[in-house]
């Protein structure tokens, strides 16, 4: 699994990757794959890091679990491969994008084009047993992705951190100037109406990037490869 993590990220995260806790995590995931179907496929677990090299990270969007139904998870938070029906949380993200920036709602749920512009679409937990949400929570992924966030916070390059929901917002205390923070409720159907819809995160991200002297993200005409 670790051989799929790009060299730039591997070097930067060397201490956490060498720790016994990460070895235990890889053994757990390997054991799960030997007995169950696990999403995303092993080659896609670190897709977010491949699509967004460390030096190009400008925005971090924190998700939670990968999607747990067949064919959905491909290593980018909130994203699904071409041809897969857009899940409810992503439908709400698209609805808010349309309201915020008047972007037509895309038919595709593939967010690779965002990732390639420097948007790290990072789930807190990077694997899940098929049809069992949160089944890999508490087994070590959180410590790994916490270190990813801390690594980005420690760099002098300003980053926009997008924290949707209580789980992502637990990391608020780590993030300070020169970085920007955008918070709201999670876009899931259970909480989107309680503060996500109407929050206008996409225009806020672009304003922050402009203030940093960085190009805005091209959200329109929607995700494309």
């Amino acid at each position: 699994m670790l051989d799929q993590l790009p060299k730039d990220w591997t070097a930067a995260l060397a201490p956490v990757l060498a720790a016994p806790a990460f070895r235990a995590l890889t053994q757990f995931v390997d054991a799960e794959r030997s007995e169950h179907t696990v999403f995303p496929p092993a080659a896609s677990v670190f897709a977010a890091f491949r699509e967004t090299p460390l030096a190009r990270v400008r925005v971090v969007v924190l998700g939670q679990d990968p999607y747990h139904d067949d064919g959905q998870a491909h290593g980018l938070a909130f994203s699904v491969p071409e041809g897969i029906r857009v899940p409810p949380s992503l439908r709400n993200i698209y609805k808010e994008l349309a309201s915020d920036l008047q972007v037509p709602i895309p038919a595709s749920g593939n967010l690779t084009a965002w990732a390639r512009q420097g948007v790290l679409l990072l789930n807190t937990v990077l694997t899940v047993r098929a049809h069992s949400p949160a089944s890999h929570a508490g087994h070590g992924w959180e410590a790994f992705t916490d270190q990813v966030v801390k690594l980005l916070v420690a760099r002098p390059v300003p980053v926009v951190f997008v924290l949707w929901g209580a789980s992502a917002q637990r990391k608020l205390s780590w993030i300070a100037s020169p970085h920007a923070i955008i918070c709201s409720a999670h876009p899931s159907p259970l909480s989107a109406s309680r503060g996500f819809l109407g929050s206008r995160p996409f225009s806020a991200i672009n304003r922050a990037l402009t203030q940093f002297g960085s190009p805005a993200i091209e959200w329109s005409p929607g995700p494309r490869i």
Side-chain angles (χ1 to χ4, degrees):
M1 180 174 68
L2 188 54
D3 61 354
Q4 299 293 323
L5 186 65
K7 291 181 180 179
D8 58 340
W9 287 101
T10 298
L13 294 166
V16 69
L17 298 176
F22 190 82
R23 291 197 294 274
L25 168 63
T26 59
Q27 290 168 0
F28 165 76
V29 175
D30 288 346
E32 282 282 286
R33 288 196 188 277
S34 71
E35 298 179 13
H36 308 280
T37 299
V38 171
F39 299 135
S44 297
V45 169
F46 295 115
F49 301 91
R50 284 199 303 274
E51 298 295 351
T52 312
L54 176 57
R56 295 187 60 195
V57 175
R58 301 189 291 135
V59 180
V60 178
V61 176
L62 284 174
Q64 298 176 0
D65 246 10
Y67 295 123
H68 58 84
D69 284 337
D70 296 335
Q72 292 181 312
H74 69 140
L76 305 178
F78 297 106
S79 180
V80 292
E82 295 292 330
I84 299 297
R85 184 179 180 183
V86 176
S89 291
L90 184 53
R91 285 203 299 270
N92 283 330
I93 291 171
Y94 282 170
K95 183 177 179 180
E96 182 58 22
L97 175 59
S99 174
D100 187 2
L101 296 178
Q102 293 71 57
V103 172
I105 293 177
S108 168
N110 191 327
L111 304 180
T112 301
W114 294 1
R116 290 178 179 172
Q117 294 180 74
V119 181
L120 181 65
L121 296 166
L122 180 67
N123 277 319
T124 302
V125 175
L126 300 189
T127 56
V128 67
R129 187 187 300 178
H131 318 300
S132 300
S135 52
H136 286 189
H139 289 277
W141 278 125
E142 295 89 345
F144 171 77
T145 53
D146 283 355
Q147 289 303 313
V148 173
V149 173
K150 290 177 180 179
L151 168 67
L152 293 168
V153 168
R155 295 165 70 228
V157 179
V159 171
V160 183
F161 287 89
V162 182
L163 309 178
W164 289 333
S167 177
Q169 288 165 22
R170 292 191 187 103
K171 297 170 176 53
L172 267 171
S173 62
W174 306 342
I175 305 168
S177 180
H179 307 293
I181 302 170
I182 295 171
C183 291
S184 77
H186 194 273
S188 76
L190 295 175
S191 57
S193 63
R194 300 199 297 270
F196 175 76
L197 296 175
S199 63
R200 304 193 67 186
F202 302 99
S203 57
I205 292 167
N206 281 351
R207 280 195 303 273
L209 289 172
T210 299
Q211 290 169 359
F212 294 158
S214 184
I217 302 299
E218 177 56 64
W219 307 107
S220 174
R224 60 196 186 285
I225 297 177

